[in-house]
Amino acid sequence: MRALRLGLVLGALVGTGCATNPATRMRSAEKENQRLTQQLQDADRALQSVNAHLGELRSPGGSGRSFSMYYTPASLEQLASQVLPMRMAARNFHQKLQGDVIVERISDIRFGPSNTLTCRALLRGENVRYTGSVPKPYQAEVRRFQEGVAAGVMADLVVELSLSDTGLRARAHATRTKLKAHSSANSEGMLREQVNERALRVPFTFDLTVQGTGAVARRMVLTANHLVVTYAP
């Protein structure tokens, strides 16, 4: 009983920081400072986006006639649905895969600083097969990976937006991939790397043409709630 009481006391001391040494406290303070610095930088970038938007409101388009369109996360998901589902060759994800990978939908769009947003893509494989030579001990693992891709993959993306001559350019980077079946850290890590190096190497472009007008998208800014695109003749 005495040993148990002593253990509880020591646990309480550790929990309150009394038993931590100066080096540990210093590392903890440095991590907290890094976290607060990152938050400050994010807030500053968000403020820059808002100021740019206010500049557009005061002098939209710079000169001549212009107007602005406001896109919410829901309207961007609707815009993406116009080109989805998108079928891609599985070799775009890994050079030794055959079959197709279908991007079914984009969801959970959230706006962030510096004209970036986060979202989730749902993908699934169709007739996906690994064509490389597989030693017998690993054949079951490869089979589970193929079955996992066929069942579906959730990919969390960070997307940087910009305007191009042909529309809204979206350059994506996968921060996480998750197999809906046969989840495996090794397989998911390999898949994420291949997605970034191959499938997401080239940015996607979405048409922002406003039907019935000859206006062209000239500027864009991402605020906390809207993607604001300014059109001018």
Side-chain angles (χ1 to χ4, degrees), residues 134-145:
V134 181
K136 190 172 183 179
Y138 299 100
Q139 289 177 359
E141 182 178 347
V142 170
R143 184 170 60 253
R144 287 194 297 270
F145 173 72

Side-chain angles (χ1 to χ4, degrees), residues 114-128:
S114 301
N115 289 340
T116 63
L117 60 83
T118 59
C119 65
R120 174 164 291 176
L122 178 61
L123 311 90
R124 66 176 177 85
E126 190 173 274
N127 300 321
V128 171

